[in-house]
């Protein structure tokens, strides 16, 4: 009797882009990132396409099958794009065809929309610049800074910048930016924060499944991303601090290989 591998069901996602608050330069990285979370069944972008300001987006729409939605600015200084995107999002929500939404904008006006979608049990992935207001970031299940999609953080790491040392306190870290982009330093990894989560959810021996660790981190800090700190994956970040964390591979998980567990090294052990 043949044994078939279990079928993996991908999430159906609606991608809604605020062209006024997102740069066309992220488009390649954006859809590569979205592919990690599911299938983009709907891809729409909102803006006033009669003007020259969205020229960058016009060049990439066909290549990525993004449907442009025209929204005229009815009054100077007022942004009607937000309202059009929100109305469409609610229409799509009530079709009950989607498992999640990808909201691409750095505008805090979408904070309530993200919360409303989550109230319906859908997963919300936010994409915006590091300047995105905290309320919108916190309203999403996962928030990805678009600077990462341009590869800026990884480029800085590959140019010889050392990864930062662990911070002594569990405070939210800040990015230290020098006068030139080339001198931009990577922010410190939230080591104390990660250690506290490990302590809170660990088993009797102090170990935590790496997937569970990542899930709990995202619940408290939706914007957390190892790439921000110069690491491609959470496992690499854990390995990067051997004096604080321990990583262990156990058995196999079939096609996926070893199952990874992490532990907070207690002082003196």
């Amino acid at each position: 009797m043949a044994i078939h591998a279990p079928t993996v069901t991908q999430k159906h996602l609606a991608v809604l882009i605020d062209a006024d608050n997102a740069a066309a330069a992220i488009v390649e990285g954006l859809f590569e990132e979205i592919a990690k979370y599911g299938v983009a069944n709907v891809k729409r972008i909102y803006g006033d396409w009669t003007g020259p300001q969205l020229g960058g987006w016009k060049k990439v729409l066909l290549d990525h099958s993004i449907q442009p939605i025209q929204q005229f600015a009815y009054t100077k200084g007022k942004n009607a794009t937000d309202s059009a995107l929100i109305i469409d999002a609610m229409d799509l929500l009530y079709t009950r065809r989607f498992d999640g939404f990808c909201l691409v904008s750095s505008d805090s006006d979408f904070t309530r929309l993200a919360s409303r979608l989550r109230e319906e049990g859908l997963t919300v992935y936010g994409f915006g610049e590091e300047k995105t207001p905290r309320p919108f970031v916190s309203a999403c299940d996962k928030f990805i800074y678009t600077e990462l999609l341009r590869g800026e953080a990884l480029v800085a790491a590959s140019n010889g910048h050392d990864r930062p040392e662990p911070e002594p306190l569990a405070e939210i870290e800040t990015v230290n930016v020098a006068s030139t982009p080339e001198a931009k330093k990577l922010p410190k990894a939230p080591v104390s924060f990660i250690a506290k989560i490990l302590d809170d959810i660990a088993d009797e021996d102090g170990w935590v499944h790496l997937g569970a660790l990542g899930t709990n981190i995202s619940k408290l800090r939706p914007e957390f991303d190892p790439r921000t700190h110069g690491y491609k994956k959470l496992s690499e970040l854990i390995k990067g601090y051997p004096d604080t964390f321990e990583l262990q591979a156990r058995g196999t998980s079939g096609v996926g290989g070893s199952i990874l567990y992490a532990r907070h090294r207690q002082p003196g052990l």
Side-chain angles (χ1 to χ4, degrees), residues 52-187:
Q53 67 276 11
L54 300 182
W57 278 112
K58 291 178 183 178
K59 296 177 182 178
V60 299
L61 295 183
L62 290 178
D63 291 340
H64 296 274
S65 299
I66 308 172
Q67 179 185 2
I69 305 298
Q70 171 63 30
Q71 183 58 53
F72 293 101
Y74 298 123
T75 305
K76 186 175 181 180
K78 297 292 185 179
N79 188 357
T81 300
D82 295 359
S83 298
L85 190 154
I86 291 170
I87 291 171
D88 271 11
M90 296 309 294
D91 287 343
L92 293 170
L93 166 66
Y94 291 126
T95 66
R96 307 298 179 187
R97 295 189 291 114
F98 299 95
D99 303 299
F101 280 74
C102 299
L103 304 179
V104 187
S105 179
S106 302
D107 193 337
S108 63
D109 288 348
F110 298 111
T111 301
R112 178 55 187 145
L113 173 61
S115 299
R116 182 68 182 87
L117 295 171
R118 292 181 68 188
E119 288 173 4
E120 291 292 325
L122 277 69
T123 304
V124 177
Y125 303 96
F127 296 83
E129 297 178 359
E130 291 177 359
K131 67 180 182 180
T132 304
R134 183 70 192 179
F136 180 35
V137 173
S138 299
C140 299
D141 291 284
K142 176 74 175 176
F143 197 92
I144 298 93
Y145 289 128
T146 53
E147 285 84 354
L148 293 174
L149 305 182
R150 301 185 190 189
E152 292 178 3
L154 293 179
V155 168
S158 64
N159 284 340
H161 296 283
D162 294 331
R163 285 169 176 151
E165 293 298 320
E167 87 291 0
L169 300 175
E171 298 177 353
I172 295 178
E173 298 74 28
T174 57
V175 180
N176 297 319
V177 182
S179 57
T180 61
E182 292 75 18
K184 182 177 179 179
K185 295 182 180 179
L186 297 175

Side-chain angles (χ1 to χ4, degrees), residues 164-167 169 171 173 186-194 221 224 229 231 237 241:
E165 293 298 320
E167 87 291 0
L169 300 175
E171 298 177 353
E173 298 74 28
L186 297 175
K188 295 179 179 179
V191 175
S192 300
F193 170 71
I194 295 173
R221 291 193 186 178
F224 172 80
H229 313 289
Y231 300 90
L237 189 154
Y241 295 90

